[in-house]
Amino acid sequence: MTRFHESPEDPFSVGNSVSAVLDHRGTVVGWGDRAEAFLGHRGADVIGRPALDALVDPADREQVVAAAAACLRASGWFGIVPVRHRDGRRVPMGVRARRVTRGSPDCEWFLVGAPAQDVIQWETDRSVLDGLFRRAPIGLAVHAPDLSILRVNRAVARIGGITPEQARGRRTGDFVVAADTETVERGLRHVLDTGDPMIFTDQPCRLRSDPSRIRYVSVSAFRMEDSAGEILGVTQLVEDVTERERARLRLDLLNDAGARIGTTLDVTTTARELADVLVPELADCATVDLLDPVSRGEEPSQDGFGPVRRTAVRTDTPGAEEALNPLGSLIRFAPETPQGRCLAEQTPVLVPEVRTIEDYAAVAQERADAARALGTHSVMMLPLAARGLVLGLVSLWRSRTPEPFEEDDLTLAGEFAARAAVCIDNARRYTRQHQAALTLQVRLLPGELPELPAAEIAHQYIPAGAVEGVGGDWFDVIPLSGARVALVVGDVIGHGIDAAATMGRLRTAVHTLAELDLDPDEVLSHLDDLVHGLAAEQEHNSRDFPLDQVTGASCLYAVYDPVSRCCSLARAGHPPPAVVTPDGKVSFPELPAGPPLGLGGLPFEATELELPEGSLLALFTNGLIQIPALDVDEALDRLSQELARPGCRVDETAKAVVDALLPAEPGDDVALLLARTRVLPDHCVATWTLPADPRAAGQARTLMAEQLGAWGLGELAFTTELIVSELVTNAYRYAGGPVTLRLIRGPRLICEVSDTSSTAPHLRRARTTDEGGRGLFLVAQLTERWGTRYGREGKTVWTEQLLP
C-alpha cells in the first residue's frame, strides 16, 4: 500500500485526507480524487451505491453500522473503521464524520478519512501537546525569534502568578527581575544563534512580584525550525528546583562545616569557626556564647545555668556591633528570655518574625532599640550540648536577608550546632588536660634564676603547640661550691603529663647529684641508672597505666669555674652546645656523643674547655634546630648568626634566637640556656698551702685575717677565724698531708680547705661530757651553707658566708 501521509501534519488536512459524501440513506453521492488514489475505487464505481455495499466487507458490516448509529445520535463522529480496498484487502481508516445541511429536510454526511496509524499518531501528538500546555507539571514557554512570548503553559503561568493568556506577547523581563532576566535571555539567544540545545541548566529566578524570595529553576531549551530550515523561535522547558537547590546548598554547607569546624583543639577557635560557617550562608549575624567555665576549659554546670561568655561574633551587617554584646563580655540571660529557655531546656528556639517592641526586648534585652534600628526581623537560638552537658548557645539573626528563618533553617543550624558542640567539648577537655600538664611542667621548671658570679644567665622556654601537647624539655642553673655553676639542658622523649612528670623526677635527681659536686660524666652515669630504672618501673606498671611510655631522655651537663675559666661538659645523646668567643667566632665543640639516658651500662666522657672571659655558652634542646622549614645545617647557621650579634645583652640574644628560628607554634618543646662567662679577678681569690703540722691552724688564722682586712671585711674576721681554725685543724688531724686554704670574695665569702684525705666529715651532736665534736656544729651555725666535694687527690670542705 502506498503510504498516503508521510508528514507529521494534520492527517485530516485537505492536502492529506480522503473525502467522500453520503446522503441520508448512506448512499455515496461524492467521491474525492485522493479517495480513488488511496482506496483504488473510481468515483463512477461507488457513486450511487450504498456505502456498506461498496466500501465495507460483510464481516465488518455490524461494526460500521454501530458507528453510523453513533454518528446519527451525535450529529458527528470520529473513530476507526475498516474499509475495503478495490483489491479486496481491509484498510483501517480513521474517519471523521460531520452532518451537512443544504436546506432540505434530508441531510448529508461529509466524511474525511486517513490511515488509522497516522490518525492515532496525530491524536497522540495532539494529546501530548495539549498535555504539555494544560496539565504538565514542568513549565513550557515558546518564544519568538525576538524572545517575545508566543505561548506558555499553565505551570509557567503559576510560577509567574499570571494566566497563560496574560503572558502572550510579553517578555521575560516583565515578570523576572533584571539580573535574572539577563541570565535567562543570554542562554536563549545562544540557543537561537548556535542551534545547540540547553540541557538542565540551573538558574536563579526572582519574580518582580516577590523579589525577596529566591527561586531556582532548571532550564532546557531547543531551537524551532520549519521544514525549510527557517528559525521560528525557541522553546524553553522550565522546572522549579528551589527545594532541590536548597537541599543541595544545605548539604554543601554541612560538608563545609565538617571541614571547617574543629580544625584545632582550641575552644575559642572552634567557636569562631562555627560563626564563620553560619554567616553569610545561613544568617546575617551569628554569636556563640559559652558558659563561662567552658570558655576556660573547665567543667560546666549540669543544669546549664550561669553567665555565658561571648566567645565568637560574625556579621556582615554594618552597625551590628551596637546591637550585640561585645566579644569577651560576660552575659547573664534571665530564665524567661529565649536565650535562657534555650539553655535551660536544651531545645532550639525559633522566632520567625520580630515585630513589636516586646519581641525586640525579649530577644535583645537592653539592646532592643539598636536591634530594631538594625532591621533585625528573624532570630534563632540553638543550644550547644554534647555528652549530656550544656556548653552554651549559638544565636542567629537576619536583618539584611528579607526571608525569615524557617523550620528547615532551624534543622540545618541544629546540625551545625551539634557538630560544633562535640568539637567544643573535645577542645574543652583537651584544654583542661593541656593546662594541667602545662601547669605541672611550669611548676617543675626553675623560676627566677639567681645572680651568679660565674656567668650572666638568660633562658627561653617555648612549649610545643596545642596539638602536640607539653613535652619533657627542661633546663636548670645550679650554683655549686667555689663560685662554680652547673648548666643543664635535657629532653625527655614524648609529650604529655607522663613526659612532664618524668622530667620533674630527672631534674630533682640532677639537683641531688649536683649537690654532691660530681663530675659531669658521673652525673650522667647516675642519671642513666635512674632512667633505666624508671623504664623498668613503667613496664612493670603497664597493666595499670597502659598509656605510659617507656621513658628515654637526652641531657647535656656543664660545670663552669669562674676562677680557672675551665668548663667541663658531658652529654648523653644530646646536641652539643654552641660556644661564642668574645671576638664573635661561633663553634660547636665536638664532645663525645654518649648514648641517650636509659640504655644502661655504657660510659660517658667529659671534656674540658678553657673559655675566655665574656664567652657565650649556648645549651639547647633539639627542638630549636629540628624545624620542618629548615634542615639542621641551615638551622645551625641561622643560630650562629643570631648568637654572634655584637653588643646584645644575653636576654636579647636569647629572644632573637627564638624569633629567628621558631614558628609561631613549634612542633616540639624548646629549651634554650645562654651563659656569658665571667672571671673572678686575681685580687678576689687568695690561696695558701699550709704545712701539715700543729702550727697550720694559727698560720691560717693570721693569713685569713690579713686578707679580710685587705678586702675590707674585718667584720667577718672573728667568725671566719673560728671556721678556718676548725677546718684546718680537722684536716691536720685526720688527713696527714699538706692543707690548701682558699678564700674567694664574690657575692658571698667562700672559704675552702682541701686535703689529701677522702674521709668525709660528719656533723654530730656532742654530749655534755664530751671534750670535742662541736667544731662542725659551730661551722654549720656560723655559715650560710657548707659541704664537701671530692676530687682526684682528696676532698675539699667549703663554707659560704653572707657579706655584710
Side-chain angles (χ1 to χ4, degrees), residues 107-262:
C107 65
E108 294 180 342
W109 295 90
F110 180 67
L111 306 180
V112 180
Q117 63 270 25
D118 290 347
V119 173
I120 293 173
Q121 183 64 51
W122 179 80
E123 285 291 337
T124 302
D125 293 346
R126 187 185 62 79
S127 177
V128 169
L129 188 62
D130 181 71
L132 286 174
F133 280 98
R134 295 179 181 275
R135 291 179 292 276
I138 297 177
L140 181 68
V142 181
H143 298 264
D146 64 352
L147 299 185
S148 62
I149 299 173
L150 297 176
R151 186 178 181 184
V152 300
N153 69 350
R154 293 177 179 178
V156 166
R158 281 196 298 270
I159 294 177
I162 58 175
T163 65
E165 291 74 17
Q166 290 174 328
R168 188 168 298 161
R170 303 176 72 177
R171 304 184 68 88
T172 303
D174 295 331
F175 310 103
V176 179
V177 298
D180 296 343
T181 297
E182 182 180 354
T183 301
V184 172
E185 293 190 345
R186 184 169 56 248
L188 295 180
R189 287 193 188 97
H190 178 78
V191 174
L192 279 171
D193 295 341
T194 65
D196 297 332
M198 180 191 303
I199 301 174
F200 299 129
T201 301
D202 290 347
Q203 300 173 353
C205 179
R206 288 167 293 174
L207 300 178
R208 288 183 177 272
S209 59
D210 187 10
S212 64
R213 183 182 180 187
I214 300 177
R215 294 174 178 265
Y216 294 92
V217 294
S218 177
V219 178
S220 298
F222 60 90
R223 188 168 71 183
M224 299 184 300
E225 301 174 356
D226 62 12
S227 57
E230 292 293 327
I231 299 175
L232 301 178
V234 60
T235 297
Q236 181 185 38
L237 300 173
V238 181
E239 181 182 4
D240 189 341
V241 294
T242 302
E243 292 304 318
R244 186 186 72 189
E245 184 66 15
R246 287 180 177 176
R248 185 189 65 78
L249 291 175
R250 293 188 185 104
L251 182 60
D252 290 344
L253 281 175
L254 285 174
N255 292 334
D256 187 45
R260 292 172 57 186
I261 298 175

Side-chain angles (χ1 to χ4, degrees), residues 20 32 39 45 57 75 207 259 262 269 386 548 595 639 717 756:
L39 295 175
D45 296 335
D57 190 273
S75 299
L207 300 178
T269 301
D548 281 0
L639 173 62
T756 58

Side-chain angles (χ1 to χ4, degrees), residues 148-447:
S148 62
I149 299 173
L150 297 176
R151 186 178 181 184
V152 300
N153 69 350
R154 293 177 179 178
V156 166
R158 281 196 298 270
I159 294 177
I162 58 175
T163 65
E165 291 74 17
Q166 290 174 328
R168 188 168 298 161
R170 303 176 72 177
R171 304 184 68 88
T172 303
D174 295 331
F175 310 103
V176 179
V177 298
D180 296 343
T181 297
E182 182 180 354
T183 301
V184 172
E185 293 190 345
R186 184 169 56 248
L188 295 180
R189 287 193 188 97
H190 178 78
V191 174
L192 279 171
D193 295 341
T194 65
D196 297 332
M198 180 191 303
I199 301 174
F200 299 129
T201 301
D202 290 347
Q203 300 173 353
C205 179
R206 288 167 293 174
L207 300 178
R208 288 183 177 272
S209 59
D210 187 10
S212 64
R213 183 182 180 187
I214 300 177
R215 294 174 178 265
Y216 294 92
V217 294
S218 177
V219 178
S220 298
F222 60 90
R223 188 168 71 183
M224 299 184 300
E225 301 174 356
D226 62 12
S227 57
E230 292 293 327
I231 299 175
L232 301 178
V234 60
T235 297
Q236 181 185 38
L237 300 173
V238 181
E239 181 182 4
D240 189 341
V241 294
T242 302
E243 292 304 318
R244 186 186 72 189
E245 184 66 15
R246 287 180 177 176
R248 185 189 65 78
L249 291 175
R250 293 188 185 104
L251 182 60
D252 290 344
L253 281 175
L254 285 174
N255 292 334
D256 187 45
R260 292 172 57 186
I261 298 175
T263 60
T264 67
L265 287 171
D266 180 75
V267 172
T268 302
T269 301
T270 304
R272 187 167 57 249
E273 290 169 345
L274 171 60
D276 290 343
V277 167
L278 294 171
V279 177
E281 285 78 5
L282 190 60
D284 298 324
C285 177
T287 62
V288 180
D289 303 320
L290 299 180
L291 291 171
D292 195 36
V294 176
S295 66
R296 301 191 301 269
E298 300 174 3
E299 196 79 11
S301 60
Q302 295 291 331
D303 53 16
F305 287 112
V308 296
R309 180 80 60 182
R310 178 135 297 173
T311 311
V313 175
R314 174 66 191 277
T315 177
D316 63 354
T317 304
E321 294 78 8
E322 298 180 3
L324 302 172
N325 289 285
L327 189 66
S329 60
L330 197 63
I331 311 168
R332 290 175 171 83
F333 292 119
E336 64 274 8
T337 63
Q339 294 92 336
R341 297 200 314 273
C342 179
L343 288 170
E345 300 172 9
Q346 299 187 34
T347 56
V349 176
L350 172 62
V351 185
E353 293 186 1
V354 182
R355 292 182 177 179
T356 66
I357 189 60
E358 290 78 12
D359 294 337
Y360 284 103
V363 300
Q365 290 87 50
E366 68 276 3
R367 296 176 181 264
D369 292 338
R372 190 175 188 178
L374 189 66
T376 301
H377 62 85
S378 191
V379 180
M380 290 193 302
M381 290 90 175
L382 300 104
L384 294 170
R387 303 179 179 95
L389 294 176
V390 180
L391 308 175
L393 79 159
V394 56
S395 301
L396 288 79
W397 310 70
R398 278 186 178 173
S399 54
R400 301 177 66 183
T401 302
E403 292 182 331
F405 287 118
E406 301 174 349
E407 288 293 336
D408 288 344
D409 298 320
L410 190 67
T411 301
L412 179 61
E415 291 285 344
F416 293 154
R419 293 190 183 193
V422 174
C423 295
I424 289 173
D425 193 49
N426 289 338
R428 176 191 66 82
R429 290 168 177 249
Y430 172 79
T431 299
R432 183 177 59 183
Q433 296 177 1
H434 181 72
Q435 288 178 345
L438 189 60
T439 301
L440 173 63
Q441 185 185 47
V442 171
R443 294 290 178 85
L444 293 174
L445 290 171

